[in-house]
Amino acid sequence: MEDVTGYVFPMYRHLFWDMGGTLVDTYPALDAALADVVRRRGLALTDAEVAVLTRRSTGEAITTLSRRFDIPEEEFEAANAELKRRWETTPAPAAVGARELLRDVRRAGGLNLVVTHRERSSAEALLEGLGLQVADLISTSDGYPRKPDPTMYHVMLARHDLDPAECLAVGDRPIDAEAAMAAGITAAMLEPATAPVDDGAEHTVENLAGLRPLLGLGEPSER
């Protein structure tokens, strides 16, 4: 929306974040870990091929790869579990531009709210370790159902007395968009061109920088 002076009003003010794959860049390590299970058997598989599967769900990727290469699902599950153990001491990095976007949303008077399946203490420790400052976090470990159920979004809206029309939810999987939209929140999906996702989100961006115009934010400053 633009007025006669040329000032662009932000479409959205508050940002609801998914965590793994959105706020935290977990996919490269996950894709490589699952692909390595196949490659260790002398079979050909690229990380990019796995990426198309993991963008829907890790479980679906494991099932598909198990059937395609006739490898027990347990081997992929073990690789995923080992990766999660490594992340306990050496976490996955923050997504490119995440810190700056969190900061600029906060400076503009908006709230950064995390909605995650990750266990609360693990999620809070990861955010602190990566230096990612958010206003609030809600987790399935708090007793709420998993996405695509919209309950966590409804709770967060009520907790902060927010108008859904002022909120934007960013995620990386169809369940993120489905849950947010069921709560009346507009969804934006992170979708790299190499791993598109079939979902009903109104907005699609390749990286977090693509969210800035939707929030009325310019390029990140140095400070």
Side-chain angles (χ1 to χ4, degrees):
M1 178 179 176
E2 186 173 331
D3 72 3
V4 293
T5 67
Y7 177 76
V8 179
F9 292 93
M11 295 175 63
Y12 309 103
R13 183 180 181 191
H14 310 291
L15 199 52
F16 282 65
W17 293 83
D18 175 54
M19 199 160 177
T22 302
L23 190 53
V24 182
D25 191 13
T26 53
Y27 279 124
L30 174 61
D31 297 339
L34 297 183
D36 282 344
V37 172
V38 175
R39 292 192 286 247
R40 282 196 294 268
R41 290 177 173 244
L43 303 172
L45 181 67
T46 66
D47 293 0
E49 291 176 277
V50 178
V52 176
L53 303 174
T54 54
R55 269 41 172 201
R56 293 204 56 82
S57 81
T58 302
E60 182 176 323
I62 287 174
T63 298
T64 300
L65 293 172
S66 173
R67 291 174 179 171
R68 176 179 170 186
F69 293 100
D70 194 24
I71 298 173
E73 288 190 16
E74 290 76 13
E75 292 191 29
F76 294 100
E77 290 166 352
N80 187 34
E82 173 57 28
L83 176 61
K84 289 181 177 179
R85 284 192 291 271
R86 293 205 307 269
W87 278 341
E88 290 177 1
T89 54
T90 308
V96 174
R99 292 185 185 87
E100 294 82 2
L101 184 54
L102 287 168
R103 178 200 64 199
D104 291 348
V105 167
R106 187 168 59 249
R107 287 179 175 176
L111 297 177
N112 291 293
L113 307 167
V114 172
V115 181
T116 182
H117 290 169
R118 185 183 286 263
E119 193 274 328
R120 170 172 285 279
S121 62
S122 171
E124 290 175 339
L126 179 56
L127 291 173
E128 182 178 358
L130 294 175
L132 300 174
Q133 182 180 344
V134 301
D136 201 358
L137 178 148
I138 192 168
S139 163
T140 50
S141 67
D142 298 330
Y144 300 110
R146 295 172 67 88
K147 307 169 195 177
D149 187 288
T151 299
M152 289 193 289
Y153 290 88
H154 282 301
V155 170
M156 200 66 99
L157 286 169
R159 183 183 296 175
H160 295 279
D161 192 25
L162 300 179
D163 179 353
E166 294 186 337
C167 301
L168 180 67
V170 57
D172 58 280
R173 288 175 171 169
I175 59 170
D176 299 319
E178 185 177 343
M181 291 188 296
I185 301 171
T186 300
M189 290 291 289
L190 281 175
E191 295 183 21
T194 54
V197 179
D198 183 15
D199 60 76
E202 182 174 345
H203 303 287
T204 299
V205 297
E206 287 200 31
N207 51 51
L208 294 181
L211 297 174
R212 287 181 166 274
L214 300 176
L215 296 159
L217 301 173
E219 293 297 318
S221 60
E222 292 295 325
R223 300 173 61 185

